[in-house]
């Protein structure tokens, strides 16, 4: 395409120089501009086609993983979940999840997680969400990256299928670190003065949970527990300052029941 473009430009310049005809030069330039416009529109259309094709493949992978899960046991239990959410002043977030779990099936090859924002985000934010997953050995050293397939669900959550680099046998422990870069995920909290929930809801009993939300600067917040009462055994919710001076709200919990939504609701003062 670039060779054709340079060829047309060279020919138009040469023809104009030989004849000295301004009309010929203008016509040639117009033809080149139309060619560039056509090429640009063709590239845009092809990119959209590729995006549609890519999204279709994501849905198919999710569909067949669902079929595999329904026909083959694919169970895992969390022994420890440690999550840190760092929020910028504009609402952009980085979420780091460190997960310790045990396989409860013959061979665990993938697992599924769904994460969503507390508001219905427009496409311009959703398409910029990034997820990286890396396996970690029992001693804590980094291992190979995990392949990830993502797709958006009908309730505006990003569903991630994490394919483990090595299948995990029944009873064996595995660890992964997931890092989500999510633009404007907490925009309503930081820019619009609304409250926001930071919660989890796992399908199996979680033995140990730590969930931290870190705010920029020295912002103060109103906070309330979600899914438990203040003083309830096994749960604590506190706000403190980090060494860097940021406000950090921490939920600690033990033996969290399955399908129990627990977390916190925050609102800036």
């Amino acid at each position: 395409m670039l060779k054709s473009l340079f060829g047309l430009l060279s020919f138009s310049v040469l023809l104009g120089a030989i004849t000295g005809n301004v009309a010929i030069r203008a016509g040639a330039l117009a033809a080149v501009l139309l060619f560039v416009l056509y090429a640009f529109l063709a590239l845009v259309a092809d990119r959209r086609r590729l995006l549609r094709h890519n999204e279709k493949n994501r849905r198919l992978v999710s569909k067949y993983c669902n079929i595999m899960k329904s026909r083959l046991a694919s169970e895992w239990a969390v022994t420890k979940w440690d999550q840190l959410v760092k929020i910028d002043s504009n609402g952009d977030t980085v979420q780091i999840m460190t997960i310790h779990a045990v396989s409860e099936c013959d061979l665990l090859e993938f697992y599924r997680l769904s994460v969503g924002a507390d508001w219905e985000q427009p496409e311009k934010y959703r398409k910029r969400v990034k997820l990286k997953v890396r396996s970690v050995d029992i001693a804590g050293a980094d291992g190979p990256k995990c392949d990830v397939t993502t797709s958006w669900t009908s309730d505006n959550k990003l569903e991630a299928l994490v394919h483990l680099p090595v299948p995990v046998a029944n009873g064996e422990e595995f660890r992964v670190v997931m890092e989500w870069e999510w633009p404007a995920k907490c925009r309503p909290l930081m820019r619009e003065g609304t409250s926001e929930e930071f919660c989890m809801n796992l399908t199996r009993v979680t033995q140990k949970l730590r969930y931290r939300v870190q705010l920029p600067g020295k912002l103060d917040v109103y906070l309330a527990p979600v899914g438990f009462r203040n003083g309830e055994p096994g749960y604590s919710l506190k706000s403190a300052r980090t060494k860097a001076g940021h406000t950090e709200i921490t939920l600690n919990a033990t033996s969290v029941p399955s399908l129990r939504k627990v977390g916190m609701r925050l609102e800036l003062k």
Side-chain angles (χ1 to χ4, degrees):
M1 185 176 292
L2 287 176
K3 289 182 179 179
S4 300
L5 176 59
F6 287 134
L8 283 173
L9 286 172
S10 301
F11 178 74
S12 64
V13 170
L14 179 61
L15 187 62
I18 293 174
T19 63
N21 192 317
V22 176
I24 292 177
R25 289 200 294 263
L29 181 59
V32 170
L33 291 176
L34 287 174
F35 176 79
V36 171
L37 178 60
Y38 170 79
F40 175 76
L41 292 175
L43 287 172
V44 170
D46 189 58
R47 183 175 183 275
R48 289 177 177 173
R49 182 186 63 80
L50 290 174
L51 288 174
R52 289 195 299 269
H53 182 69
N54 188 37
E55 184 59 31
K56 177 184 177 182
N57 287 339
R58 290 171 186 268
R59 289 196 301 269
L60 286 174
V61 170
S62 180
K63 173 185 175 181
Y64 288 111
C65 283
N66 279 331
I67 293 173
M68 290 174 59
K69 186 175 180 181
S70 65
R71 296 181 181 178
L72 302 172
S74 180
E75 301 293 345
W76 57 295
V78 175
T79 57
K80 182 180 179 182
W81 186 291
D82 194 338
Q83 180 166 339
L84 172 62
V85 181
K86 296 181 178 181
I87 307 175
D88 286 341
S89 57
N90 62 357
D92 291 351
T93 70
V94 173
Q95 300 184 80
I96 302 172
M97 303 172 181
T98 304
I99 304 170
H100 299 208
V102 174
S103 170
E104 293 188 339
C105 59
D106 290 339
L107 279 179
L108 182 69
E109 301 193 57
F110 68 91
Y111 66 90
R112 181 195 315 270
L113 283 177
S114 295
V115 178
D118 207 30
W119 61 295
E120 188 172 343
Q121 287 189 296
E123 180 66 20
K124 67 177 182 178
Y125 295 129
R126 299 200 307 178
K127 68 181 181 181
R128 289 164 51 204
V129 177
K130 297 179 182 178
L131 170 61
K132 295 183 292 185
V133 185
R134 184 175 293 279
S135 61
V136 179
D137 67 20
I138 302 303
D142 288 345
K145 291 181 179 179
C146 301
D147 291 329
V148 181
T149 308
T150 59
S151 59
W152 288 95
T153 63
S154 58
D155 57 351
N156 297 308
K157 290 184 178 180
L158 184 60
E159 182 178 82
L161 290 172
V162 180
H163 306 270
L164 297 169
V166 178
V168 183
N170 190 11
E172 290 186 355
E173 183 180 359
F174 67 96
R175 301 180 184 182
V176 294
V177 176
M178 308 180 69
E179 182 175 327
W180 304 71
E181 294 182 17
W182 200 307
K185 187 174 188 293
C186 296
R187 182 182 179 89
L189 173 71
M190 302 303 299
R191 304 294 288 272
E192 300 172 13
T194 63
S195 61
E196 183 169 341
E197 284 190 354
F198 297 84
C199 295
M200 291 180 52
N201 189 353
L202 294 178
T203 57
R204 307 298 297 274
V205 174
T206 306
Q207 296 179 15
K208 189 174 182 180
L209 166 66
R210 182 171 69 160
Y211 194 154
R212 293 173 291 161
V213 177
Q214 190 177 108
L215 299 170
K218 298 182 178 180
L219 296 172
D220 287 325
V221 292
Y222 300 104
L223 65 155
V226 175
F228 64 97
R229 301 182 305 277
N230 282 322
E232 183 175 342
Y235 296 86
S236 70
L237 182 62
K238 297 179 180 179
S239 177
R241 299 284 186 195
T242 66
K243 292 182 180 179
H246 301 299
T247 300
E248 186 171 282
I249 302 90
T250 303
L251 164 65
N252 283 298
T254 57
S255 300
V256 180
S258 61
L259 300 176
R260 180 174 182 178
K261 181 181 176 181
V262 296
M264 65 193 84
R265 177 171 284 278
L266 304 180
E267 181 182 333
L268 296 183
K269 290 185 178 180

